[in-house]
Structure formats: structure tokens, C-alpha cells
Amino acid sequence: MRAYQLTSHDSLPAFADLPIPDPAPGELRVRIAACGLNFADLLMLKGTYQDTPALPFVMGLEVAGVVDAVGDGVSDFAPGDRVAVYGGQGGLAEYGCFPAERAVKLPDGMSWTDAAAFQIAYGTSHLALDHRARLQPGETLLVLGAAGGVGLTAVEIGKLMGATVVACARGADKLEAAKAAGADHLIDAKTQDIREEMKALGGADVVYDPVGGDQFTAAFRSCKPEARILTIGFASGDVPQIKANHLLVKNISVLGLYWGGYLTFKPQVLTGSLAQLLDWHAQDRLHPHVSHALPLDQVAEGMELLRTRKSTGKVVITIQDL
């Protein structure tokens, strides 16, 4: 099979011809239709992601495809089932073997592209806003990086949960994508002062931050008392340092969220969240935004779109027609 493999953190991934793997006990073998790209892929290239696999490995965290074979002990899936899987690796290949416990069955009407773009982005935002921040109807939610892979889903889910959503992104095109996802107010991070704009809107009850850096600092200063700040990631490359006495004075909570971590210590929370999200999708209440769907030959171009922040929503790599 053809696969996009990383063999060294000092060199770029390359295509390799690898044997089609056999599923181990508890695993599914999936014939892969599509693979979603994520910011974490860029960190894995450098070996700085918290769950970077041992070298060599096939890149690609989340896939959609058809079950091709099952290992011993698997009873909930059968060949022919349409599934999405968060495997953490192995997605940028024609076949992959993944733990059955990480797979979810897909509704017939869900496209491969939507399914490959769905789990990490929507799962992260739903767990963050619902399980961690306990976002309430009528609260004001500030979403930083609001046109990115997770940012757009936070806008959508925030609106579904009844919040007033303020979307912050860089440039008119990205803000237009956030507006289409349901944002009530827009802030251009290139030309506007986040703190001043948020003060004019009465301040933030919840901040969703996949960016870090100066935007975190500005958002922190725009928080209401008892606000909750969700740290999702640091796309700016700058991990902010938080002064504990400022948290105390303003009665602010800073909450970390690593979606994949729930697979190891509270998988039922993640499973329940995905069930809710798939139900919303089936009701046509969620609309995955994929700005680029590229063939496997163009996976390097897809990675570059993430690196240069030229995409909105998700970038998906189509592997094969199924």
C-alpha cells in the first residue's frame, strides 16, 4: 500500500510502499477514503506533540473509510461498516489498523470528507464548551482563531448552546467564514484591539483559545469576573505565562482541554460527546467546513496550508474512492 511516512524529525515525510497490515486482536483494518489534517500533524513533524509516536510512523490522526477486516475479539464491527476513527497515526495511507474502541459507525448520509473532518475539531470544541467550561445560554463566548479547524466548530457549537458568539480572526475572508458559521460579532485581529472591542460588548464569560500569545493576554484582560478561559492550543507558537494573582483578583478560571487525553482516563465522556455531535449532524445542525480537499499526492501542500494559515476550517486528504 501507499503511505506517507515520517522516518526522522530532521527530514520531511515521504511516500513509501508498505505491506498492508493485518489487524491485531481488538483492531479493525480500514480501507481509508479520507484523512483529516490537524495542527498536531505539524507538531509531530518536529516531535513536539505530546502524543508523537515512535519513529518511523505513518502520519494522519483521523480517518474515514470502510472496515476491511476485524481482529480477534471484535464483535461490534464487521467488514463493510462505514466508520470514522481517531487513530493518532496511520491515516495517510490506503489501509490502516486501529483499535476498535476508537471507531464510530457513520450514518449513511455522511460524506467521507465530512467524516474525516469531524471527530477532532467538533469533539474538541464540544468537550471544551460543554464538559469543561459549562457554557450557558445567554453567556458571551469569545472564540480566538475563529476561522481555523477547531475555531469554526467552536462558533457553531457555541451558537447551538445558546451563547452570544464573538469571533476573532485575521482578515475579512476568515471573518466571513466565522460569520457564516453563526458568529454574532466579529473582531479582526489584524486591525482591531481585542480588549477594547470586547469591553464595548460587555466582556467575555468564556474564552476559547487555540492561539495563545498576545491574543490570550488581550482576551484575559477582557474577561468578566468568574469567566472561564479554555486553553486549546498555541498556534501562535507562544505559550502564555499566567500570573496567579491576576486569576485571584478577577476570579477567573483557566481550563486546559486535550481531547485525545479522554481516551485514556474518561473515554465515556468522549463517546457521549461524539454521539451528541453525530446526532446534531444528522439533524443538519452542524455543517463541517472544509476549505480544501486534496488528493494524497498533494498532502505536502495540505500541510503547508495549515502552516501558513491559508485554510479555513479543515483540510482533508482524499485517499481513494470507495
Side-chain angles (χ1 to χ4, degrees):
M1 69 175 188
R2 197 165 183 232
Y4 194 62
Q5 187 180 52
L6 186 70
T7 59
S8 168
H9 294 303
D10 296 321
S11 60
L12 295 175
F15 287 106
D17 290 321
L18 302 178
I20 296 175
D22 293 320
E27 288 187 340
L28 309 173
R29 185 170 70 202
V30 178
R31 189 178 177 203
I32 299 171
C35 177
L37 298 187
N38 294 273
F39 186 76
D41 290 307
L42 301 180
L43 300 178
M44 282 189 176
L45 291 175
K46 299 179 288 185
T48 57
Y49 188 60
Q50 58 262 30
D51 276 344
T52 300
L55 294 168
F57 66 92
V58 175
M59 299 195 66
L61 278 74
E62 58 180 335
V63 304
V66 175
V67 175
D68 177 69
V70 299
D72 291 342
V74 176
S75 58
D76 293 336
F77 297 90
D81 285 345
R82 302 173 77 249
V83 295
V85 187
Y86 171 74
Q89 62 174 305
L92 289 168
E94 293 171 323
Y95 291 85
C97 290
F98 308 101
E101 64 187 9
R102 293 192 175 195
V104 293
K105 292 181 181 180
L106 296 174
D108 291 338
M110 195 174 198
S111 72
W112 296 126
T113 301
D114 277 7
F118 197 80
Q119 282 186 281
I120 294 175
Y122 280 104
T124 294
S125 293
H126 186 247
L127 274 192
L129 296 174
D130 182 61
H131 181 70
R132 294 291 281 146
R134 307 292 184 187
L135 180 67
Q136 299 299 307
E139 289 190 315
T140 297
L141 167 66
L142 169 61
V143 180
L144 305 179
V150 293
L152 273 180
T153 64
V155 172
E156 268 194 290
I157 292 171
K159 284 301 296 180
L160 271 178
M161 294 178 68
T164 297
V165 178
V166 184
C168 179
R170 298 179 67 85
D173 290 347
K174 293 190 173 185
L175 288 172
E176 188 58 36
K179 182 178 179 181
D184 299 288
H185 305 281
L186 307 174
I187 298 174
D188 191 333
K190 288 171 62 176
T191 61
Q192 294 177 288
D193 185 300
I194 295 172
R195 181 192 181 199
E196 292 303 317
E197 295 297 324
M198 286 305 300
K199 282 176 62 179
L201 293 170
D205 295 294
V206 175
V207 175
Y208 182 98
D209 179 18
V211 178
D214 292 342
Q215 291 193 30
F216 174 93
T217 302
F220 184 97
R221 297 176 70 193
S222 74
C223 282
K224 299 177 183 178
E226 295 194 329
R228 291 88 75 202
I229 301 177
L230 292 155
T231 58
I232 307 299
F234 312 103
S236 67
D238 181 357
V239 179
Q241 303 303 303
I242 304 165
K243 294 183 177 180
N245 60 320
H246 291 185
L247 297 177
L248 181 154
V249 170
K250 295 191 71 173
N251 290 288
I252 290 176
S253 299
V254 178
L255 308 169
L257 189 283
Y258 168 43
W259 181 80
Y262 279 83
L263 288 166
T264 60
F265 71 92
K266 262 188 184 176
Q268 71 277 9
V269 173
L270 188 148
T271 302
S273 170
L274 283 175
Q276 175 66 78
L277 291 165
L278 287 169
D279 184 55
W280 278 341
H281 185 276
Q283 296 175 35
D284 199 34
R285 300 179 73 187
L286 295 177
H287 305 94
H289 180 95
V290 177
S291 65
H292 297 80
L294 304 174
L296 185 57
D297 285 339
Q298 295 180 32
V299 63
E301 288 90 330
M303 295 285 192
E304 188 64 15
L305 287 168
L306 294 185
R307 182 181 294 106
T308 57
R309 303 187 196 180
K310 292 182 178 178
S311 60
T312 55
K314 292 283 284 190
V315 176
V316 171
I317 303 301
T318 57
I319 310 292
Q320 55 192 321
D321 294 328
L322 298 181

